[in-house]
Amino acid sequence: MAVDYAVIVLYLAGMLAVGWWGMRRATSKSDFLVAGRRLGPAMYSGTMAAIVLGGASTIGGVGLGYQYGLSGAWMVFAIGLGLLALSVFFSARIARLKVYTVSEMLDLRYGGAAGLISGVVMWAYTLMLAVTSTIAYATIFDVLFGLDRTVSIVLGGAIVVAYSTLGGMWSITLTDMVQFVVKTIGVLLLLLPIAVIKAGGFGAMADRLPHDYFAPLGIGGQTVFTYVLIYSFGMLIGQDIWQRVFTARSDRVARLGGTAAGTYCLVYALAGAVIGTAAKVLYPHLGSPDDAFATIVKDTLPVGVRGLVLAAALSAVMSTSSGALIACATVAHQDIWSRLKGAARARRHPAPQAASGTAGGPQRAEPDAAPGGEPDAAPDEVRGNRLFTLLMGLAVIVIASALNNVVEALTLAYNLLVGGLLVPILGGLLWKRGTAAGALASVAAGGLTVIGLMASLGVLANEPIYYGLLASLVAYVAVSLATRPTDQAVLTVWRERLAGREGAPSPLSRV
Protein backbone atom coordinates (compact mmCIF):
# COMPACT_ATOMS: atom_id res chain seq x y z
CA MET A 1 0.00 0.00 0.00
CA ALA A 2 3.01 2.33 0.31
CA VAL A 3 2.87 3.14 -3.41
CA ASP A 4 -0.88 3.80 -3.20
CA TYR A 5 -0.35 6.13 -0.25
CA ALA A 6 2.33 7.99 -2.18
CA VAL A 7 -0.04 8.48 -5.12
CA ILE A 8 -2.74 9.91 -2.82
CA VAL A 9 -0.36 12.21 -0.94
CA LEU A 10 1.14 13.55 -4.18
CA TYR A 11 -2.36 14.14 -5.52
CA LEU A 12 -3.42 16.13 -2.43
CA ALA A 13 -0.19 18.16 -2.51
CA GLY A 14 -0.82 18.91 -6.16
CA MET A 15 -4.28 20.26 -5.35
CA LEU A 16 -2.80 22.70 -2.85
CA ALA A 17 -0.11 23.76 -5.32
CA VAL A 18 -2.73 24.47 -7.98
CA GLY A 19 -4.69 26.52 -5.45
CA TRP A 20 -1.63 28.64 -4.70
CA TRP A 21 -1.02 29.19 -8.43
CA GLY A 22 -4.68 30.08 -8.99
CA MET A 23 -4.41 32.82 -6.35
CA ARG A 24 -2.18 34.78 -8.71
CA ARG A 25 -4.89 34.79 -11.38
CA ALA A 26 -7.80 35.73 -9.10
CA THR A 27 -7.26 39.50 -9.18
CA SER A 28 -10.86 40.62 -9.68
CA LYS A 29 -14.34 39.69 -8.53
CA SER A 30 -15.00 38.15 -11.94
CA ASP A 31 -11.82 36.06 -11.76
CA PHE A 32 -12.57 34.84 -8.25
CA LEU A 33 -16.25 33.98 -8.74
CA VAL A 34 -16.54 32.94 -12.41
CA ALA A 35 -12.95 32.45 -13.67
CA GLY A 36 -13.15 35.71 -15.62
CA ARG A 37 -15.89 34.23 -17.86
CA ARG A 38 -13.07 32.96 -20.09
CA LEU A 39 -13.31 29.16 -20.21
CA GLY A 40 -13.17 27.47 -23.60
CA PRO A 41 -15.03 24.27 -24.56
CA ALA A 42 -12.45 21.75 -23.30
CA MET A 43 -12.00 23.25 -19.84
CA TYR A 44 -15.68 24.12 -19.53
CA SER A 45 -16.94 20.61 -20.32
CA GLY A 46 -14.32 18.95 -18.10
CA THR A 47 -15.02 21.13 -15.07
CA MET A 48 -18.79 20.90 -15.54
CA ALA A 49 -18.61 17.10 -15.60
CA ALA A 50 -16.34 17.15 -12.55
CA ILE A 51 -18.69 19.19 -10.38
CA VAL A 52 -21.86 17.20 -11.11
CA LEU A 53 -20.17 13.80 -10.72
CA GLY A 54 -19.30 13.82 -7.04
CA GLY A 55 -18.94 11.19 -4.36
CA ALA A 56 -22.63 10.29 -4.55
CA SER A 57 -22.28 9.66 -8.28
CA THR A 58 -19.14 7.54 -7.86
CA ILE A 59 -19.39 5.69 -4.55
CA GLY A 60 -23.19 5.94 -4.42
CA GLY A 61 -23.60 5.04 -8.10
CA VAL A 62 -21.55 1.88 -7.66
CA GLY A 63 -23.55 1.10 -4.50
CA LEU A 64 -26.84 1.40 -6.40
CA GLY A 65 -25.44 -0.92 -9.07
CA TYR A 66 -24.55 -3.41 -6.35
CA GLN A 67 -28.07 -3.22 -4.90
CA TYR A 68 -30.20 -2.99 -8.07
CA GLY A 69 -28.00 -3.86 -11.04
CA LEU A 70 -27.91 -1.83 -14.24
CA SER A 71 -30.99 0.17 -13.26
CA GLY A 72 -28.89 1.61 -10.43
CA ALA A 73 -27.55 3.95 -13.12
CA TRP A 74 -30.77 6.00 -13.01
CA MET A 75 -29.67 8.42 -10.29
CA VAL A 76 -26.55 9.56 -12.15
CA PHE A 77 -28.43 9.19 -15.46
CA ALA A 78 -30.97 11.73 -14.17
CA ILE A 79 -28.11 14.12 -13.38
CA GLY A 80 -26.83 13.74 -16.94
CA LEU A 81 -30.29 14.31 -18.41
CA GLY A 82 -30.69 17.47 -16.35
CA LEU A 83 -27.33 18.79 -17.48
CA LEU A 84 -28.20 18.06 -21.10
CA ALA A 85 -31.53 19.88 -20.76
CA LEU A 86 -29.83 22.87 -19.12
CA SER A 87 -27.15 23.02 -21.81
CA VAL A 88 -29.44 22.63 -24.83
CA PHE A 89 -32.38 24.80 -23.75
CA PHE A 90 -31.17 27.34 -21.18
CA SER A 91 -27.39 27.67 -20.86
CA ALA A 92 -26.91 30.13 -23.74
CA ARG A 93 -29.46 32.54 -22.28
CA ILE A 94 -28.07 32.12 -18.77
CA ALA A 95 -24.51 32.84 -19.92
CA ARG A 96 -25.61 36.01 -21.73
CA LEU A 97 -27.12 37.49 -18.55
CA LYS A 98 -23.62 38.17 -17.12
CA VAL A 99 -24.75 37.77 -13.50
CA TYR A 100 -23.11 35.95 -10.59
CA THR A 101 -26.04 34.24 -8.85
CA VAL A 102 -29.47 32.78 -9.53
CA SER A 103 -31.00 35.42 -7.25
CA GLU A 104 -29.50 38.20 -9.38
CA MET A 105 -31.27 36.63 -12.34
CA LEU A 106 -34.55 36.74 -10.40
CA ASP A 107 -33.88 40.38 -9.48
CA LEU A 108 -33.31 41.24 -13.10
CA ARG A 109 -36.42 39.40 -14.30
CA TYR A 110 -38.91 40.42 -11.61
CA GLY A 111 -37.69 43.88 -10.63
CA GLY A 112 -35.83 43.27 -7.41
CA ALA A 113 -38.49 41.75 -5.16
CA ALA A 114 -37.55 38.07 -5.06
CA GLY A 115 -33.79 38.06 -4.55
CA LEU A 116 -33.32 37.88 -0.78
CA ILE A 117 -35.75 35.03 -0.02
CA SER A 118 -34.49 33.01 -2.99
CA GLY A 119 -30.95 33.70 -1.81
CA VAL A 120 -31.71 32.21 1.61
CA VAL A 121 -33.20 29.07 0.03
CA MET A 122 -30.25 28.72 -2.36
CA TRP A 123 -27.76 29.28 0.47
CA ALA A 124 -29.35 26.48 2.52
CA TYR A 125 -29.15 24.15 -0.49
CA THR A 126 -25.51 24.91 -1.33
CA LEU A 127 -24.49 24.69 2.34
CA MET A 128 -26.02 21.22 2.76
CA LEU A 129 -24.55 20.09 -0.57
CA ALA A 130 -21.10 21.16 0.61
CA VAL A 131 -21.66 19.46 3.97
CA THR A 132 -22.73 16.13 2.48
CA SER A 133 -19.79 16.19 0.06
CA THR A 134 -17.39 16.88 2.92
CA ILE A 135 -18.76 14.00 5.01
CA ALA A 136 -17.74 11.64 2.20
CA TYR A 137 -14.09 12.26 3.11
CA ALA A 138 -14.68 10.16 6.23
CA THR A 139 -15.38 7.07 4.12
CA ILE A 140 -12.45 7.58 1.75
CA PHE A 141 -9.79 8.44 4.33
CA ASP A 142 -10.94 5.56 6.53
CA VAL A 143 -10.34 3.20 3.61
CA LEU A 144 -7.01 4.82 2.78
CA PHE A 145 -5.44 5.47 6.17
CA GLY A 146 -7.84 4.17 8.83
CA LEU A 147 -8.32 7.69 10.18
CA ASP A 148 -10.98 8.75 12.65
CA ARG A 149 -14.17 10.17 11.10
CA THR A 150 -13.73 13.71 12.41
CA VAL A 151 -10.02 13.81 11.54
CA SER A 152 -10.86 12.66 8.00
CA ILE A 153 -13.48 15.38 7.56
CA VAL A 154 -11.15 18.08 8.87
CA LEU A 155 -8.24 16.91 6.70
CA GLY A 156 -10.22 16.62 3.47
CA GLY A 157 -12.27 19.73 4.15
CA ALA A 158 -9.19 21.79 5.01
CA ILE A 159 -7.54 20.99 1.68
CA VAL A 160 -10.65 21.99 -0.29
CA VAL A 161 -11.17 25.15 1.78
CA ALA A 162 -7.51 26.10 1.32
CA TYR A 163 -7.36 25.97 -2.47
CA SER A 164 -10.88 27.37 -2.88
CA THR A 165 -10.12 30.33 -0.62
CA LEU A 166 -6.78 31.05 -2.25
CA GLY A 167 -7.77 31.16 -5.90
CA GLY A 168 -11.58 30.98 -6.01
CA MET A 169 -13.06 29.70 -9.25
CA TRP A 170 -9.71 29.75 -11.05
CA SER A 171 -8.20 27.30 -8.55
CA ILE A 172 -11.37 25.21 -8.55
CA THR A 173 -11.44 25.12 -12.35
CA LEU A 174 -7.82 23.98 -12.60
CA THR A 175 -8.20 21.35 -9.88
CA ASP A 176 -11.45 20.14 -11.44
CA MET A 177 -9.70 19.56 -14.75
CA VAL A 178 -7.12 17.41 -12.98
CA GLN A 179 -9.92 15.61 -11.16
CA PHE A 180 -11.83 15.04 -14.41
CA VAL A 181 -8.78 13.37 -15.98
CA VAL A 182 -8.13 11.26 -12.87
CA LYS A 183 -11.77 10.11 -12.72
CA THR A 184 -11.83 9.24 -16.40
CA ILE A 185 -8.66 7.17 -16.21
CA GLY A 186 -9.35 5.63 -12.81
CA VAL A 187 -13.03 4.72 -13.16
CA LEU A 188 -13.79 4.40 -16.87
CA LEU A 189 -10.50 3.15 -18.32
CA LEU A 190 -9.18 1.03 -15.43
CA LEU A 191 -11.76 -0.03 -12.87
CA LEU A 192 -14.64 -0.71 -15.30
CA PRO A 193 -12.92 -3.25 -17.59
CA ILE A 194 -11.00 -4.91 -14.73
CA ALA A 195 -14.18 -5.35 -12.66
CA VAL A 196 -16.06 -6.93 -15.57
CA ILE A 197 -13.16 -9.29 -16.34
CA LYS A 198 -12.80 -10.32 -12.68
CA ALA A 199 -16.55 -11.08 -12.57
CA GLY A 200 -16.21 -13.40 -15.55
CA GLY A 201 -17.68 -11.13 -18.22
CA PHE A 202 -21.29 -10.10 -18.86
CA GLY A 203 -22.37 -13.68 -19.61
CA ALA A 204 -21.22 -14.97 -16.24
CA MET A 205 -22.74 -11.95 -14.48
CA ALA A 206 -26.11 -12.63 -16.13
CA ASP A 207 -25.96 -16.30 -15.12
CA ARG A 208 -25.18 -15.60 -11.46
CA LEU A 209 -27.54 -12.70 -10.75
CA PRO A 210 -31.35 -12.39 -10.76
CA HIS A 211 -32.99 -11.19 -13.97
CA ASP A 212 -34.04 -7.93 -12.27
CA TYR A 213 -30.39 -6.89 -12.18
CA PHE A 214 -30.54 -6.38 -15.94
CA ALA A 215 -34.04 -4.88 -16.20
CA PRO A 216 -34.14 -1.17 -17.19
CA LEU A 217 -36.62 -0.32 -14.40
CA GLY A 218 -35.51 -2.84 -11.82
CA ILE A 219 -35.01 -0.05 -9.30
CA GLY A 220 -38.71 0.89 -9.60
CA GLY A 221 -40.60 3.28 -11.84
CA GLN A 222 -41.57 5.62 -9.00
CA THR A 223 -37.94 5.85 -7.89
CA VAL A 224 -36.87 6.77 -11.42
CA PHE A 225 -39.59 9.43 -11.59
CA THR A 226 -38.45 10.90 -8.26
CA TYR A 227 -34.81 10.93 -9.39
CA VAL A 228 -35.80 12.90 -12.48
CA LEU A 229 -37.84 15.39 -10.44
CA ILE A 230 -35.11 15.98 -7.88
CA TYR A 231 -31.84 15.60 -9.77
CA SER A 232 -32.73 16.48 -13.37
CA PHE A 233 -34.67 19.58 -12.36
CA GLY A 234 -32.10 20.34 -9.66
CA MET A 235 -29.46 20.59 -12.39
CA LEU A 236 -31.55 23.29 -14.08
CA ILE A 237 -31.54 25.72 -11.17
CA GLY A 238 -28.69 25.02 -8.72
CA GLN A 239 -26.30 27.90 -7.99
CA ASP A 240 -23.34 25.51 -8.13
CA ILE A 241 -24.30 24.56 -11.70
CA TRP A 242 -25.23 28.06 -12.87
CA GLN A 243 -21.96 29.44 -11.54
CA ARG A 244 -20.14 27.07 -13.88
CA VAL A 245 -22.30 28.23 -16.78
CA PHE A 246 -21.21 31.79 -15.98
CA THR A 247 -17.56 30.76 -16.55
CA ALA A 248 -18.11 30.05 -20.27
CA ARG A 249 -16.52 32.59 -22.59
CA SER A 250 -19.54 32.50 -24.92
CA ASP A 251 -23.05 31.13 -25.08
CA ARG A 252 -21.88 28.66 -27.74
CA VAL A 253 -19.26 27.25 -25.35
CA ALA A 254 -21.93 26.92 -22.65
CA ARG A 255 -24.25 25.02 -24.98
CA LEU A 256 -21.77 22.69 -26.70
CA GLY A 257 -19.46 22.16 -23.73
CA GLY A 258 -22.39 21.43 -21.44
CA THR A 259 -23.84 18.96 -23.94
CA ALA A 260 -20.51 17.12 -24.01
CA ALA A 261 -20.42 17.06 -20.19
CA GLY A 262 -23.99 15.77 -20.00
CA THR A 263 -23.20 12.97 -22.46
CA TYR A 264 -20.15 12.06 -20.39
CA CYS A 265 -22.40 11.81 -17.32
CA LEU A 266 -24.62 9.25 -19.06
CA VAL A 267 -21.57 7.09 -19.81
CA TYR A 268 -20.31 7.49 -16.24
CA ALA A 269 -23.73 6.48 -14.88
CA LEU A 270 -23.73 3.21 -16.82
CA ALA A 271 -20.11 2.51 -15.86
CA GLY A 272 -20.85 2.88 -12.15
CA ALA A 273 -23.84 0.54 -12.36
CA VAL A 274 -21.81 -2.09 -14.25
CA ILE A 275 -18.99 -1.89 -11.68
CA GLY A 276 -21.55 -2.32 -8.88
CA THR A 277 -23.13 -5.30 -10.66
CA ALA A 278 -19.71 -6.92 -11.02
CA ALA A 279 -19.06 -6.31 -7.32
CA LYS A 280 -22.32 -8.14 -6.47
CA VAL A 281 -21.00 -11.21 -8.31
CA LEU A 282 -17.63 -11.04 -6.58
CA TYR A 283 -18.84 -10.08 -3.08
CA PRO A 284 -22.51 -11.07 -2.71
CA HIS A 285 -22.75 -10.45 1.06
CA LEU A 286 -21.27 -7.02 1.78
CA GLY A 287 -22.60 -5.26 4.87
CA SER A 288 -23.55 -2.11 2.92
CA PRO A 289 -23.93 -1.40 -0.81
CA ASP A 290 -21.78 1.71 -0.35
CA ASP A 291 -18.86 -0.56 0.59
CA ALA A 292 -18.85 -2.04 -2.92
CA PHE A 293 -16.61 0.62 -4.47
CA ALA A 294 -13.86 0.49 -1.86
CA THR A 295 -14.00 -3.32 -1.65
CA ILE A 296 -13.64 -3.97 -5.37
CA VAL A 297 -10.86 -1.39 -5.61
CA LYS A 298 -8.86 -2.91 -2.74
CA ASP A 299 -9.28 -6.54 -3.81
CA THR A 300 -9.06 -6.46 -7.61
CA LEU A 301 -6.61 -3.72 -8.62
CA PRO A 302 -2.81 -3.91 -8.59
CA VAL A 303 -0.64 -1.63 -6.48
CA GLY A 304 -0.34 1.87 -7.90
CA VAL A 305 -3.46 1.47 -10.00
CA ARG A 306 -5.40 1.04 -6.76
CA GLY A 307 -4.02 4.36 -5.51
CA LEU A 308 -5.04 6.07 -8.74
CA VAL A 309 -8.60 4.76 -8.56
CA LEU A 310 -8.93 5.78 -4.91
CA ALA A 311 -7.62 9.18 -5.96
CA ALA A 312 -10.42 9.17 -8.54
CA ALA A 313 -12.98 8.70 -5.76
CA LEU A 314 -11.30 11.47 -3.79
CA SER A 315 -11.40 13.63 -6.93
CA ALA A 316 -15.12 13.09 -7.28
CA VAL A 317 -15.76 14.24 -3.73
CA MET A 318 -13.40 17.22 -3.89
CA SER A 319 -14.79 18.59 -7.14
CA THR A 320 -18.37 18.63 -5.85
CA SER A 321 -17.31 19.91 -2.44
CA SER A 322 -15.30 22.83 -3.84
CA GLY A 323 -18.02 23.77 -6.32
CA ALA A 324 -20.69 23.74 -3.62
CA LEU A 325 -18.43 25.73 -1.27
CA ILE A 326 -17.80 28.61 -3.64
CA ALA A 327 -21.49 28.64 -4.60
CA CYS A 328 -22.45 28.81 -0.91
CA ALA A 329 -19.97 31.62 -0.26
CA THR A 330 -21.08 33.54 -3.35
CA VAL A 331 -24.74 33.40 -2.34
CA ALA A 332 -23.96 34.29 1.28
CA HIS A 333 -21.91 37.31 0.24
CA GLN A 334 -23.73 38.55 -2.87
CA ASP A 335 -27.35 37.69 -2.12
CA ILE A 336 -27.63 37.87 1.67
CA TRP A 337 -24.87 39.92 3.31
CA SER A 338 -24.64 42.61 0.61
CA ARG A 339 -28.43 42.98 0.46
CA LEU A 340 -28.79 43.26 4.24
CA LYS A 341 -25.91 45.73 4.41
CA GLY A 342 -27.44 47.76 1.59
CA ALA A 343 -30.84 47.78 3.27
CA ALA A 344 -29.30 48.99 6.55
CA ARG A 345 -27.45 51.74 4.70
CA ALA A 346 -30.62 52.78 2.89
CA ARG A 347 -32.50 53.11 6.18
CA ARG A 348 -29.78 55.32 7.60
CA HIS A 349 -29.40 57.43 4.46
CA PRO A 350 -32.61 57.28 2.39
CA ALA A 351 -32.14 58.52 -1.16
CA PRO A 352 -34.90 60.22 -3.19
CA GLN A 353 -36.22 58.12 -6.06
CA ALA A 354 -35.20 59.32 -9.48
CA ALA A 355 -37.93 60.88 -11.57
CA SER A 356 -37.49 58.31 -14.27
CA GLY A 357 -37.61 55.39 -11.86
CA THR A 358 -40.51 53.00 -11.69
CA ALA A 359 -41.90 51.32 -8.63
CA GLY A 360 -40.24 47.96 -8.17
CA GLY A 361 -37.91 48.66 -11.10
CA PRO A 362 -34.14 49.00 -11.22
CA GLN A 363 -32.77 51.44 -8.64
CA ARG A 364 -29.17 51.76 -9.76
CA ALA A 365 -27.09 50.07 -12.39
CA GLU A 366 -23.66 48.84 -11.41
CA PRO A 367 -20.84 50.43 -13.43
CA ASP A 368 -19.48 48.43 -16.33
CA ALA A 369 -15.74 48.25 -16.69
CA ALA A 370 -15.48 46.02 -19.73
CA PRO A 371 -17.26 45.70 -23.07
CA GLY A 372 -19.01 42.55 -21.82
CA GLY A 373 -20.93 44.53 -19.23
CA GLU A 374 -18.77 43.13 -16.39
CA PRO A 375 -18.86 45.25 -13.23
CA ASP A 376 -15.61 46.84 -12.16
CA ALA A 377 -14.10 45.02 -9.17
CA ALA A 378 -12.00 46.67 -6.50
CA PRO A 379 -9.46 44.60 -4.52
CA ASP A 380 -11.70 44.66 -1.46
CA GLU A 381 -14.35 42.76 -3.50
CA VAL A 382 -11.87 39.90 -3.90
CA ARG A 383 -10.92 40.05 -0.22
CA GLY A 384 -14.58 40.02 0.79
CA ASN A 385 -15.39 36.99 -1.37
CA ARG A 386 -12.24 35.22 -0.18
CA LEU A 387 -13.22 35.87 3.46
CA PHE A 388 -16.72 34.49 2.91
CA THR A 389 -15.29 31.40 1.22
CA LEU A 390 -13.11 30.79 4.26
CA LEU A 391 -15.97 31.38 6.73
CA MET A 392 -18.39 29.14 4.85
CA GLY A 393 -15.70 26.48 4.54
CA LEU A 394 -15.11 26.46 8.29
CA ALA A 395 -18.88 26.26 8.89
CA VAL A 396 -19.14 23.32 6.48
CA ILE A 397 -16.38 21.41 8.30
CA VAL A 398 -18.02 22.01 11.70
CA ILE A 399 -21.50 20.95 10.52
CA ALA A 400 -20.13 17.92 8.66
CA SER A 401 -18.31 16.76 11.79
CA ALA A 402 -21.56 16.91 13.80
CA LEU A 403 -23.94 15.45 11.19
CA ASN A 404 -24.53 11.75 10.62
CA ASN A 405 -27.45 11.23 8.22
CA VAL A 406 -26.05 12.25 4.84
CA VAL A 407 -28.94 10.98 2.72
CA GLU A 408 -31.57 12.90 4.68
CA ALA A 409 -29.52 16.11 4.59
CA LEU A 410 -29.03 15.89 0.82
CA THR A 411 -32.68 15.02 0.21
CA LEU A 412 -33.78 17.96 2.35
CA ALA A 413 -31.52 20.30 0.39
CA TYR A 414 -32.76 19.15 -3.03
CA ASN A 415 -36.42 19.12 -1.98
CA LEU A 416 -36.19 22.73 -0.78
CA LEU A 417 -34.32 23.80 -3.91
CA VAL A 418 -36.63 22.17 -6.45
CA GLY A 419 -39.88 22.67 -4.52
CA GLY A 420 -39.18 26.32 -3.77
CA LEU A 421 -37.24 27.69 -6.73
CA LEU A 422 -37.81 25.58 -9.85
CA VAL A 423 -41.13 27.20 -10.86
CA PRO A 424 -40.19 30.90 -10.41
CA ILE A 425 -36.84 30.40 -12.17
CA LEU A 426 -38.14 28.48 -15.18
CA GLY A 427 -41.30 30.63 -15.18
CA GLY A 428 -39.15 33.74 -15.39
CA LEU A 429 -37.25 32.30 -18.35
CA LEU A 430 -40.29 30.96 -20.23
CA TRP A 431 -43.40 33.02 -19.27
CA LYS A 432 -43.40 36.79 -19.60
CA ARG A 433 -46.63 37.15 -17.60
CA GLY A 434 -44.97 35.92 -14.40
CA THR A 435 -44.70 38.63 -11.74
CA ALA A 436 -42.62 39.31 -8.64
CA ALA A 437 -45.64 38.63 -6.41
CA GLY A 438 -46.19 35.33 -8.20
CA ALA A 439 -42.52 34.40 -7.74
CA LEU A 440 -42.61 35.15 -4.00
CA ALA A 441 -45.87 33.23 -3.57
CA SER A 442 -44.38 30.32 -5.49
CA VAL A 443 -41.26 30.16 -3.30
CA ALA A 444 -43.35 30.38 -0.11
CA ALA A 445 -46.01 27.84 -1.18
CA GLY A 446 -43.55 25.31 -2.53
CA GLY A 447 -41.07 25.65 0.31
CA LEU A 448 -43.66 25.47 3.10
CA THR A 449 -45.42 22.50 1.48
CA VAL A 450 -42.17 20.58 1.17
CA ILE A 451 -41.16 21.34 4.76
CA GLY A 452 -44.59 20.46 6.15
CA LEU A 453 -44.84 17.15 4.31
CA MET A 454 -41.28 16.15 5.16
CA ALA A 455 -42.07 16.82 8.82
CA SER A 456 -45.20 14.65 8.69
CA LEU A 457 -44.25 11.92 6.20
CA GLY A 458 -40.48 11.80 6.64
CA VAL A 459 -37.58 13.43 4.80
CA LEU A 460 -37.12 10.50 2.43
CA ALA A 461 -40.78 10.27 1.35
CA ASN A 462 -41.55 10.93 -2.33
CA GLU A 463 -44.74 12.95 -1.72
CA PRO A 464 -43.13 16.20 -0.43
CA ILE A 465 -41.50 17.03 -3.75
CA TYR A 466 -44.61 16.05 -5.75
CA TYR A 467 -47.02 18.24 -3.82
CA GLY A 468 -44.44 20.96 -3.23
CA LEU A 469 -43.96 21.44 -6.97
CA LEU A 470 -47.72 21.41 -7.55
CA ALA A 471 -48.32 24.03 -4.84
CA SER A 472 -45.50 26.17 -6.21
CA LEU A 473 -46.88 26.04 -9.76
CA VAL A 474 -50.46 26.83 -8.74
CA ALA A 475 -49.35 29.77 -6.57
CA TYR A 476 -47.10 31.17 -9.30
CA VAL A 477 -49.74 31.09 -12.02
CA ALA A 478 -52.66 32.23 -9.86
CA VAL A 479 -50.88 35.13 -8.15
CA SER A 480 -49.17 36.26 -11.35
CA LEU A 481 -52.51 36.43 -13.18
CA ALA A 482 -54.13 38.22 -10.24
CA THR A 483 -51.47 40.95 -10.01
CA ARG A 484 -50.28 43.68 -12.33
CA PRO A 485 -47.85 42.56 -15.05
CA THR A 486 -44.17 43.25 -14.51
CA ASP A 487 -43.24 46.82 -15.41
CA GLN A 488 -42.27 47.17 -19.05
CA ALA A 489 -39.04 48.97 -18.14
CA VAL A 490 -37.96 45.93 -16.15
CA LEU A 491 -38.90 43.55 -18.97
CA THR A 492 -37.05 45.69 -21.50
CA VAL A 493 -33.83 45.49 -19.47
CA TRP A 494 -34.41 41.74 -19.05
CA ARG A 495 -34.84 41.16 -22.78
CA GLU A 496 -31.77 43.21 -23.62
CA ARG A 497 -29.62 41.27 -21.19
CA LEU A 498 -31.11 37.94 -22.25
CA ALA A 499 -30.18 38.75 -25.83
CA GLY A 500 -26.61 39.49 -24.72
CA ARG A 501 -26.59 43.04 -26.02
CA GLU A 502 -23.64 45.01 -24.71
CA GLY A 503 -24.39 48.12 -22.75
CA ALA A 504 -27.56 46.79 -21.13
CA PRO A 505 -27.74 47.73 -17.44
CA SER A 506 -26.29 45.35 -14.87
CA PRO A 507 -28.50 43.64 -12.29
CA LEU A 508 -30.09 45.68 -9.55
CA SER A 509 -28.05 47.00 -6.70
CA ARG A 510 -28.72 45.20 -3.48
CA VAL A 511 -31.36 46.90 -1.37
Side-chain angles (χ1 to χ4, degrees), residues 206-219:
D207 291 338
R208 297 178 61 181
L209 293 173
H211 175 72
D212 287 350
Y213 266 70
F214 300 90
L217 296 178
I219 198 170

Side-chain angles (χ1 to χ4, degrees), residues 211-462:
H211 175 72
D212 287 350
Y213 266 70
F214 300 90
L217 296 178
I219 198 170
Q222 187 180 31
T223 299
V224 172
F225 181 67
T226 303
Y227 282 159
V228 171
L229 275 186
I230 294 177
Y231 296 111
S232 297
F233 285 120
M235 289 295 106
L236 298 180
I237 59 175
Q239 169 67 25
D240 51 324
I241 309 302
W242 277 42
Q243 200 156 342
R244 293 310 172 98
V245 176
F246 300 151
T247 65
R249 72 181 178 206
S250 69
D251 54 9
R252 185 172 184 271
V253 168
R255 184 172 60 254
L256 297 182
T259 301
T263 304
Y264 178 90
C265 291
L266 302 183
V267 175
Y268 199 89
L270 185 58
V274 171
I275 293 168
T277 305
K280 184 66 175 179
V281 172
L282 296 170
Y283 318 101
H285 304 297
L286 290 178
S288 168
D290 287 340
D291 293 336
F293 180 86
T295 302
I296 198 169
V297 168
K298 286 194 301 181
D299 291 353
T300 63
L301 299 183
V303 174
V305 174
R306 181 170 51 213
L308 180 62
V309 175
L310 288 172
L314 193 58
S315 296
V317 175
M318 295 181 83
S319 57
T320 300
S321 182
S322 59
L325 174 59
I326 195 169
C328 178
T330 302
V331 171
H333 188 220
Q334 302 291 121
D335 294 332
I336 300 176
W337 172 252
S338 295
R339 292 172 192 271
L340 294 176
K341 186 171 65 173
R345 187 186 303 118
R347 284 196 299 270
R348 290 195 303 269
H349 307 289
Q353 187 169 335
S356 59
T358 57
Q363 306 296 315
R364 174 175 59 84
E366 294 176 355
D368 292 334
E374 193 64 60
D376 190 14
D380 62 336
E381 281 276 13
V382 178
R383 287 194 296 269
N385 283 293
R386 185 171 281 136
L387 175 61
F388 266 80
T389 303
L390 176 60
L391 292 176
M392 291 299 105
L394 294 176
V396 164
I397 292 173
V398 171
I399 297 171
S401 300
L403 196 64
N404 287 318
N405 200 320
V406 180
V407 176
E408 287 196 359
L410 190 60
T411 303
L412 174 64
Y414 268 99
N415 280 352
L416 280 175
L417 173 72
V418 176
L421 293 181
L422 177 68
V423 171
I425 291 173
L426 294 189
L429 289 168
L430 300 173
W431 191 41
K432 67 178 182 180
R433 186 60 180 82
T435 66
L440 288 172
S442 178
V443 174
L448 291 175
T449 301
V450 164
I451 292 172
L453 289 177
M454 283 193 297
S456 61
L457 301 177
V459 173
L460 299 181
N462 291 324

Side-chain angles (χ1 to χ4, degrees), residues 4-336:
D4 297 326
Y5 291 158
V7 171
I8 299 297
V9 171
L10 285 174
Y11 170 76
L12 294 176
M15 294 299 97
L16 290 174
V18 169
W20 183 262
W21 184 83
M23 182 175 66
R24 299 166 56 189
R25 301 198 65 169
T27 58
S28 71
K29 174 182 175 181
S30 176
D31 288 332
F32 191 87
L33 296 182
V34 290
R37 306 188 196 274
R38 293 199 295 268
L39 297 192
M43 288 195 74
Y44 177 85
S45 57
T47 58
M48 181 64 87
I51 187 177
V52 300
L53 296 174
S57 299
T58 303
I59 299 172
V62 171
L64 287 172
Y66 181 89
Q67 190 172 4
Y68 298 105
L70 298 187
S71 66
W74 271 108
M75 183 186 76
V76 184
F77 207 79
I79 292 173
L81 291 177
L83 185 53
L84 283 171
L86 174 71
S87 302
V88 172
F89 299 113
F90 301 108
S91 63
R93 282 181 282 180
I94 292 170
R96 288 195 292 263
L97 289 174
K98 293 291 190 289
V99 295
Y100 291 104
T101 69
V102 174
S103 294
E104 287 181 357
M105 169 264 172
L106 293 173
D107 270 350
L108 189 64
R109 168 61 181 82
Y110 294 113
L116 180 58
I117 186 172
S118 65
V120 172
V121 174
M122 190 64 75
W123 174 77
Y125 157 73
T126 54
L127 178 69
M128 294 313 299
L129 182 61
V131 166
T132 53
S133 300
T134 303
I135 290 174
Y137 295 126
T139 300
I140 297 174
F141 280 108
D142 177 57
V143 172
L144 291 175
F145 308 114
L147 293 179
D148 175 75
R149 178 182 185 276
T150 301
V151 173
S152 299
I153 289 172
V154 172
L155 175 61
I159 293 171
V160 170
V161 171
Y163 73 70
S164 300
T165 301
L166 286 172
M169 187 60 83
W170 267 122
S171 292
I172 292 171
T173 296
L174 296 171
T175 54
D176 277 0
M177 276 305 298
V178 175
Q179 290 157 359
F180 171 74
V181 172
V182 171
K183 279 192 287 192
T184 301
I185 295 174
V187 176
L188 295 185
L189 301 184
L190 293 176
L191 183 57
L192 174 61
I194 291 174
V196 172
I197 291 171
K198 291 285 187 180
F202 286 103
M205 291 163 61
D207 291 338
R208 297 178 61 181
L209 293 173
H211 175 72
D212 287 350
Y213 266 70
F214 300 90
L217 296 178
I219 198 170
Q222 187 180 31
T223 299
V224 172
F225 181 67
T226 303
Y227 282 159
V228 171
L229 275 186
I230 294 177
Y231 296 111
S232 297
F233 285 120
M235 289 295 106
L236 298 180
I237 59 175
Q239 169 67 25
D240 51 324
I241 309 302
W242 277 42
Q243 200 156 342
R244 293 310 172 98
V245 176
F246 300 151
T247 65
R249 72 181 178 206
S250 69
D251 54 9
R252 185 172 184 271
V253 168
R255 184 172 60 254
L256 297 182
T259 301
T263 304
Y264 178 90
C265 291
L266 302 183
V267 175
Y268 199 89
L270 185 58
V274 171
I275 293 168
T277 305
K280 184 66 175 179
V281 172
L282 296 170
Y283 318 101
H285 304 297
L286 290 178
S288 168
D290 287 340
D291 293 336
F293 180 86
T295 302
I296 198 169
V297 168
K298 286 194 301 181
D299 291 353
T300 63
L301 299 183
V303 174
V305 174
R306 181 170 51 213
L308 180 62
V309 175
L310 288 172
L314 193 58
S315 296
V317 175
M318 295 181 83
S319 57
T320 300
S321 182
S322 59
L325 174 59
I326 195 169
C328 178
T330 302
V331 171
H333 188 220
Q334 302 291 121
D335 294 332
I336 300 176

